[in-house]
Structure formats: structure tokens, C-alpha cells
Amino acid sequence: MDVLELRGVSKRLGRRMVVQDLDMTVREGEVYGFLGPNGAGKTTTIRMIVGLIRPTSGIIRICGHDIERNPVGALKHVGTIVENPEMYSYLTGRQNLIHYARLAGVRDIERRVAAVAERVGLAQRIDEKVKRYSLGMRQRLGVAQALLADPKLLVLDEPTNGLDPAGMREFRELIRRLASEGMAVFISSHLLAEVEQMCDRVAVIRDGRVITEADVADLRAGAGQVQIRVSDPATARATLLAAGWKAEDGGDRLRLMAKDDEAVAQAVRALVEAGLDVYEVTRAGGLEQSFLALTGAAQTGGEADAVVERAAQ
Ligand SMILES: Nc1ncnc2c1ncn2[C@@H]1O[C@H](COP(=O)(O)OP(=O)(O)OP(=O)(O)O)[C@@H](O)[C@H]1O
Ligand SMILES: [Mg+2]
């Protein structure tokens, strides 16, 4: 089931189009990564999804309900910690959750609070004061609060910012566990490594536009840019074009996008069968390189760092 749908969503702030023409779908049990550098439009998009601001144009549906026409029906399925979770540090985790459960009009509060604490792995320490929590525990308490109303969609804006590697890993495991129970999760990040390890699908956003969307499994399987050095680049390019490839001319090398290892093998076979000598095949290695190739940042050198920054871990 499609839990979240964005169709042609744009947002103008002042004179600027901050978000332009977004189309995205997040299904039940799927973790969807929204990857982009600072200022790309991630928070603006998230604020529209959770109903804090309205799109200038386009449609957002949550569990089939149009957020403009039926905000109550749509937003009751959304759990979020948009800004940093505001918890009372002199209260315990449980007291905080009870407070938020009351605000949210949750029924059977005690049972619900115990259930969400268990779900985020805080049950053992839920009666300690929040000021004694690590940042990772606070973040999980934020997720517990977001889960109080039993949402179908969890929306998180850069939730692992500031977490240490252990905290990140725990958070990732929590998100994966929630997804395996059927939760749809929409999560923004500027860290490729995080998205790579946590998400099923990913959209890369830059200057308010989605510049690529892909299955993380495809990227892992070797989707990415391939460079081939051959005896006769012009003939080679014509051969590949005739076989349906989009081969680009790169001097003495051809550049093409291959979706997996088999695609690379096919391209090489086509060249050899056409009587050409293949001297060298260079793969952009790994998910990171694939991303850079997909986003076109690889060609512009330094800009790559701004698009996807690898977490130091
Ligand atoms: N009220 C506003 N008026 C005009 N421009 C704004 C306003 N709020 C944000 N912007 C601009 O919109 C763009 C997108 O901002 P947004 O906060 O959505 O990006 P982001 O991807 O969340 O960035 P970050 O990684 O820094 O959190 C930025 O260039 C920002 O300067
Ligand atoms: Mg932001």
C-alpha cells in the first residue's frame, strides 16, 4: 500500500522556488531516504508532509487522504519529530511520554506509553530523568513520542545528526525494526553512508529538485558509471548506440550507465562481437561512486563533497 504520495509538489518561499515538482511514493514497510546537501529543500519538504506549511502547488496524500482536503484524516497517520525533540529534562522518559500522550489525546495512556518505550528499546531506562539520557536515547525517546498515536508513516528530519557511531547504529536498527513491522519511514539526511545502510529507496535532492531516485539494492548491485577504453571509440559508440545504450563520448573512452554487473558484461560482449579490442573497463566503485555518477557530481570534482558527504565512522 502507498502510505505517502507526493505529486508535483512545489513550494515558493518569498521569491524563490525552494522545492520544485517533487514526485515520490513511499510504501508500507519501506524506508525512504531523502538525501541532499544543506539548503536543498529537505526540511521544507518535510514541513509540507507533516502539515506545518502548505504546498504552493501539487498534491500530498497520506494513506490515500489528500492533506489539503482532509488534513485530519491524513495527519492522524503521521508521526514526526520535525525539529529537535523538546523533552523536559527534569522529568523521566515515562513522564515526558505521558505528557505528550495527553496532549495527543491518546487513550489507555499507561499501556500505550509502556508499549512505545519497549518498541524503541528504552523500557529499561524509561524511569530515569531525561537529563541523564545520552543524545541517542533522547532521539529514541523522540521516536517513542512520534509513535504514541500509532502512525503508519514516520517522518524524520536528519534524526542522526550529532549521534556517535554507536548511537547511529542503534538508531538505524530501530528504524529497520519499525519498517519490518510495516511502518513506512521517510527520513532526510545529508549522509550517504547513513542512507545506504538504513534505506530501501533513495531520492537525491539538489536545489529543490529530485535529481535521481533509485533502489539502494540496485546501487549495491553495481549500478553506476562505467568507462570503457577501446581500439576505435567512434565505432564502439555507434555499436553501443545501435544496441540501445546511451553511450557518451569521453575522448579515448566511452562512458555509459550500467544498472548491474550483467549490463556491463553485455556491453563488453557487444563491443568484442563488433570486432573491437577492449583495453580497459573502469567501474565507478561502490555505492558512493554510483551516487556521484548518478548525480552528475563526479564530473565536477569538489562539488561531490557537498552533495553526499560520507559519515566518518
Ligand atoms: N522563509 C523562507 N524564505 C525564503 N527562503 C527560505 C525560507 N526558509 C528556507 N528558505 C530557503 O529554502 C532553501 C531550502 O531550505 P531547507 O531548510 O528546506 O533546506 P534543507 O535541505 O533542510 O537544508 P539543511 O540541510 O541545512 O537543513 C534554502 O536555500 C533556504 O535558505
Ligand atoms: Mg533541514
Side-chain angles (χ1 to χ4, degrees), residues 96-134:
N96 270 283
L97 290 177
I98 288 171
H99 170 74
Y100 283 105
R102 286 197 186 118
L103 287 183
V106 169
R107 267 178 273 164
D108 200 359
I109 287 180
E110 280 185 22
R111 206 176 51 86
R112 208 52 221 137
V113 164
V116 295
E118 180 73 45
R119 233 171 145 191
V120 302
L122 275 182
Q124 306 299 319
R125 306 197 45 190
I126 201 67
D127 290 309
E128 281 178 40
K129 290 200 166 144
V130 168
K131 66 181 170 202
R132 292 181 49 197
Y133 281 13
S134 67

Side-chain angles (χ1 to χ4, degrees), residues 5-73:
E5 278 179 81
L6 279 77
R7 296 286 164 257
V9 171
S10 299
K11 180 67 184 178
R12 180 194 299 277
L13 286 172
R15 254 175 290 155
R16 272 191 61 202
M17 292 304 285
V18 170
V19 167
Q20 290 190 59
D21 214 19
L22 297 187
D23 282 301
M24 290 185 279
T25 305
V26 187
R27 295 177 201 94
E28 209 172 36
E30 184 175 59
V31 182
Y32 193 101
F34 196 46
L35 183 68
N38 293 135
K42 302 182 295 294
T43 299
T44 305
T45 303
I46 281 181
R47 299 184 121 233
M48 289 192 277
I49 294 171
V50 302
L52 288 170
I53 54 173
R54 297 171 60 178
T56 306
S57 57
I59 293 173
I60 300 175
R61 280 191 211 97
I62 296 159
C63 295
H65 303 289
D66 184 327
I67 202 169
E68 294 266 342
R69 289 205 214 148
N70 183 4
V72 176

Side-chain angles (χ1 to χ4, degrees), residues 219 222-227 282-293 298:
L219 294 173
Q225 200 184 64
V226 179
Q227 295 195 11
T282 322
R283 306 288 306 273
L287 184 58
E288 185 171 22
Q289 289 302 316
S290 304
F291 257 117
L292 298 177

Side-chain angles (χ1 to χ4, degrees), residues 139-150:
Q139 205 53 297
R140 281 184 282 146
L141 187 62
V143 174
Q145 171 260 311
L147 295 176
L148 278 170
D150 204 14

